[in-house]
Amino acid sequence: MNLSSKIYIAGHRGLVGSALVRNLEAQGFANIICKTRDELDLLNPLAVADFFVAEKPDHVFLAAAKVGGILANNEHPAEFIFENLQIQNNIIHNAYLQKTKKLLFLGSSCIYPRDCPQPIKEEYLLTGPLEKTNEAYAVAKIAGIKMCQAYNKQYDTQFISVMPTNLYGQNDNFDLESSHVLPALLRKFHEAKIEGKKEVVMWGTGAPMREFLHVDDLADACIFLMNNYSDNEIVNIGTGEDLAIQDLALLIKKTTGFEGEIINDTSKPDGTPKKLLDVSRLHSLGWQHKINLEDGIAMTYAWFLENYTK
Ligand code: GFB
């Protein structure tokens, strides 16, 4: 990419899309195309086709998706599979029709088999049964990866796929029902402190292990790969370190200054026991994460205090 390349960020208002826009604008990229949901309904095949005919972007970051935490996935599987298939089919196919130079598709660490060996290597994809709580989302995302690889093979396109671990950072979803664990606990501990509550209820046993990458690191890695990687194989993007959810809760409790008790609501699902990514392929390509978890949580809490309104 060069500073005048026409770059389309699908999903520019989301956690990942907004981090990509921040990074690219800071680097001086001046031809970034963003469309709100009202301006362009990515579920509408004709609208997406018209957009690509009109804009013909050189590069596309496909960061638009229907995403959510373990409960949202478990309770809305039809929405997760339909919307994600529809969005990615529309964008990938029209990027091919309008000769987009390069497209980056975002998978997720949660689409690997539930019980595959750890740390998870890219070649473990599709080698075992999926985690039930988010199987619909995972099947859609796997289809997106396979579609990029099929178009590359048949049409000689350059549609690369990356596999981020659990992400967090500014502009995240802090809704307590549909969000992921880190933003949910940040908000729960903060509100409990402000309201003088004696306890915070977290979901599950706290035993599952999770890896967390700050979204600014993810954006940096995606731009690095857009510029330096064109193979057909997927690339894991993570820190290579994980911790128990219980320890994450203690870290967030310390950051927010909450002094009460943590209660475990074991009626809520734990999900995958562990999903630590093997990031040796990414490291061999020359990229490493920079933001450690404690600093990242502090940065996110500072942003939350400045910007979050219920
Ligand atoms: O982040 P999370 O919702 O998604 O849950 P996954 C991670 C772990 O945190 C689970 C526990 O064991 C939850 O039970 N947890 C504890 C909480 N307290 C809370 C809370 O207040 N809210 C939430 N949400 N969790 C997702 C997939 O799995 O990973 C998505 O379902 C996506 O599709 C995402 O791919 C990256 O990490 O378990």
Side-chain angles (χ1 to χ4, degrees), residues 55 67 78 115 129 143 148 151 160 166 175 201 220 244 262 278 301:
E55 294 291 353
V67 296
D115 301 312
C148 288
Y151 275 54
I160 61 175
N166 286 42
D175 174 83
V201 177
D220 194 55
I262 298 174
D278 177 313
Y301 187 44

Side-chain angles (χ1 to χ4, degrees), residues 68-71 73 80 108-111 133-134 137 165-167 176-182 184-185 188 201-205 208 210 212 245 268-272 275:
I70 190 165
L71 227 52
N73 272 273
F80 274 86
S108 168
S109 62
C110 74
I111 72 177
T133 56
N134 71 305
Y137 174 80
T165 189
N166 286 42
L167 303 172
L176 295 183
E177 285 306 306
S178 64
S179 62
H180 292 102
V181 58
L182 199 148
L185 291 184
K188 284 181 179 179
V201 177
M202 59 177 277
W203 298 350
T205 63
R210 288 293 183 272
F212 295 97
I245 294 298
K268 295 286 191 317
D270 268 348
T272 302
K275 46 178 180 172

